[in-house]
Amino acid sequence: MTISTVPPDRNLPISQMRYDPRFQVETKADNFDLASAFRLVRRRMIMIIAITALLMAPTVTIISGLKPAYQAWARLIIHQPLATSLGADESHSDLLDAKSETERLLSRSIAERVVHELRFNVRPEFNPALREISFIDTIRAKLRGLFDTEKPTPPVRDNIDAIIPEFFRALGVWHEDKSDVIQISFTSNDPELAAAVPNRIISIYLDERKDSLGGRLDSAQQWIRQRITEQQARADIARDAARNYQESMDVVSKEDAQDERIKSLIEVTGREGKIEESRLEVKATISTLEAADNASVAAENIAVPDNIATKQRDLRAQEQDLARLLQTYDGNAEAVVDLRGKIQESRADLNLATKQYLQTMRAKLAALDHEAKSIQSILAEAHEKRTRDAMVQTELTRLQHIADKEQTALDKLEDQRRDLAAKAMLPGAELEVLSPASVPIASQGRGRLFYLVGALLAAISGAVTAVFVIEMSDRTVRSFDQMAAMVRTIPAGLIPRLARWENSKTMFEHMPVPMFDEAIRTVILSLKQSNGGKLPNSIVVTSAHSGEGKSLVARSLAIELAAAAIPVLLVDGDLRRGKLDSFFRSGLMYGLNEFLNGQADIRDIVYRHPSGIDFIPSGRFSLQRRTRSNGLAEIIEMAGAAGQIVIFDSAPVLASTDTVHLTALAERTLAVVRWGKTSRRAVEFSLQQMKGSRNSEIVVAINNVNPKLHALYNFTDSELFSKSLMKYYSLKS
């Protein structure tokens, strides 16, 4: 391998100064601007083009199959027949319900008649059975067949059930909210058909409306006639019941019966009152006479007959005469004694007359009681008869009311029958066609070019969105800016990707690759500067996972150092999957595995390559037991004694624990990260595994960098390859 400068001697004295890493990482704000978006689009241009092509492929197929569509429409207003509004009030409207009529225009019966009359079954536009099965439909059917075991039945040529849905998709019937205007539109690839369908729907609607109304009226008339017959029978029954009841109960005229009953009741009631007054008077007289001890005193308080009153006056006059005599004579005088005798006789006569009068009053009271009972019996009978007549009259009134009610219902039914008969002579509806459908001149919608441009823009937008999502979800390492948060790491530089023809050559006979060689020298310089200004005696080259190019970096470092006349010992430290022996073709029977297991000596495993590199292969992978635990330390010590730099091509850190042990023995560790593949999480975890007391700082190199794509990122090291890349391609051209 050629180098551009004379390599320095690693044993020369170094000035007392601090050696900082060549690549200082500058933490950069993760701002997103238009320049960043432009760079993202540039570096993902191939992906954007591929996604756009995938999205456009089916779209172009669909758009190419589009045919021009023509739409014709008619506008109309549906009225009630004018005769139906005669005799109605002024607020009555002659417009039918627009929503209901819109649904009638969309009825299946009208659709079937239009389909049959205009022969939709011979048009592939509306008959699925006549269409050619597209590629997309074929794929869709196969995918459906994976989940549905039943085989789909092929469409029948004259199956109207498959044509009707296509017809309704092309048909539009609606009414405006602020008016009762109904619009009918139809869309078809044939402009004449588009104009014929709305006009034909209007004519069929009138026929259907008339037939429907005629059928409804016939059914209604039949029903109303049956109702009239039944109602007539009920009215006759009600009238007969009222008449029979009146005859059976001998109900007289209501007014005459009422007058007679009132007169009789007044007379009987007046008579009863007089009898009651007489009874009260007689009772009072009897009570007075029975309660008084002196008949003369009792006669004074009540009305008595004339004979008793005369005797009472005579007795009172005798008593007055006796009082005057006693004032003149003694009580034993003869005149006084005679007068007293007369007074006794008069009083006896008065008592006898009073008793006779009392007996007469008692007899009169008994007669009055008997008469009162007779009057009460007459009144009770009159009241009972009055009550019975009232009930009879009420029942008769009820029966007559029922008869009138049934007759009223019969009259209403007769009116309805006459109204239906009048309506049967009128048309179902009256149409006012504002504008009939005419043959459209221009097609509807946009042209194919418009849809292609729109689909292309949508596909590009989708592809750019997908690229942005992929870019935002990318967590791989592409720059040292992304590793700035990982402490105690030293950036060693970016190693560009080798072309396939460059990597296929033997490492010792290939043509110079300036960018790659310069990157390897940069890694060596970073190792030297991180080690205090001199090359470390032992270097472990490892990575987080396999396939990240650590073996390429390890042997490139060895070749570069050997070209600078620095003794190098390259050790294949991957004891399970080491492949460096295929590059050096040492032909040795033993390797590092045999040495660590005590089956070979150090001299048996070292191979001297003509380029000046000493090489130790990994040996047989099947050996697992190791008797020399400090064998790696012996190799490092032996190489140091011989003045050689030991480079270990170790196994990946996350795949083998031997690497962690080896990094503790070596002076420096070089971690190789693959650009755009190794995740930041894996790098951080592997660095945490390797950091120890001796390897406090780990040198990191990013391998397999794509210079063109890396220059399109907004990293601080994006311009690293720009000049070298331009120079390289100018030399190549």
Side-chain angles (χ1 to χ4, degrees), residues 36 244 411 482 697:
S36 300
N244 295 334
D411 295 339
Q482 299 170 323
E697 293 181 341

Side-chain angles (χ1 to χ4, degrees), residues 305-337:
D306 294 338
N307 59 344
I308 296 175
T310 301
K311 291 179 180 180
Q312 187 177 7
R313 286 193 302 269
D314 293 341
L315 178 62
R316 188 178 300 113
Q318 291 176 358
E319 287 177 349
Q320 291 177 355
D321 293 340
L322 179 62
R324 283 192 302 270
L325 289 176
L326 287 176
Q327 292 178 355
T328 305
Y329 300 102
D330 186 14
N332 295 319
E334 182 178 1
V336 172
V337 171

Side-chain angles (χ1 to χ4, degrees), residues 3 143 243 259 333 394 403 417 423 439 462 480 508 581 691:
I3 57 177
L143 293 176
R243 185 175 58 255
D259 293 341
T394 302
R417 183 187 63 79
K423 287 182 178 180
V439 179
F480 287 110
F508 307 103
D581 189 36
K691 287 177 181 178

